[in-house]
Amino acid sequence: MTPSAFVVHDLEQAKAALKAARERGLCVLLVSAPNAAAALGPAVWREIVAQAAQAEPGALAAAVLDCGDDPGLALAALRAGVKAIRTGAAPEARAKIADIAGQMGAT
């Protein structure tokens, strides 16, 4: 089953999405706002996802952080422990980032 995607901007929205998913037995994908890696920072996003998951145990979810076009933000997110990122970096940079992510157990 393909998860429904929800763009979340803060902890309360993430909790609400996970609560709805848990109550309905669905899997959801929490998606950050565009370029959230620059606005929030990877550590804040990681904590939003972790705290929402802790608040709604049993919810089936994945999460992805948008890193915009900046390869440095994408790499910083991976170093911060974010397990799934999105980047609009140039194709060559994107390929290198994908390789690094794979080595780190991320996507």
Side-chain angles (χ1 to χ4, degrees), residues 12-36:
E12 294 310 311
Q13 290 178 350
K15 284 180 183 179
L18 292 188
K19 180 179 181 186
R22 181 185 50 75
E23 289 174 346
R24 291 165 180 78
L26 300 173
C27 182
V28 296
L29 176 63
L30 302 179
V31 180
S32 75
N35 210 22

Side-chain angles (χ1 to χ4, degrees), residues 78-106:
L78 294 171
R79 282 191 305 272
V82 176
K83 292 298 181 187
I85 61 169
R86 182 219 162 269
T87 181
E92 185 176 309
R94 219 172 30 245
K96 290 177 182 177
I97 293 165
D99 180 50
I100 293 167
Q103 293 175 39
M104 299 176 82

Side-chain angles (χ1 to χ4, degrees), residues 23-87:
E23 289 174 346
R24 291 165 180 78
L26 300 173
C27 182
V28 296
L29 176 63
L30 302 179
V31 180
S32 75
N35 210 22
L40 291 174
V44 172
W45 174 253
R46 188 190 66 232
E47 286 305 308
I48 286 172
V49 172
Q51 288 182 27
Q54 185 177 21
E56 292 297 333
L60 300 173
V64 62
L65 174 62
D66 189 295
C67 298
D69 297 338
D70 186 337
L73 286 173
L75 293 172
L78 294 171
R79 282 191 305 272
V82 176
K83 292 298 181 187
I85 61 169
R86 182 219 162 269
T87 181

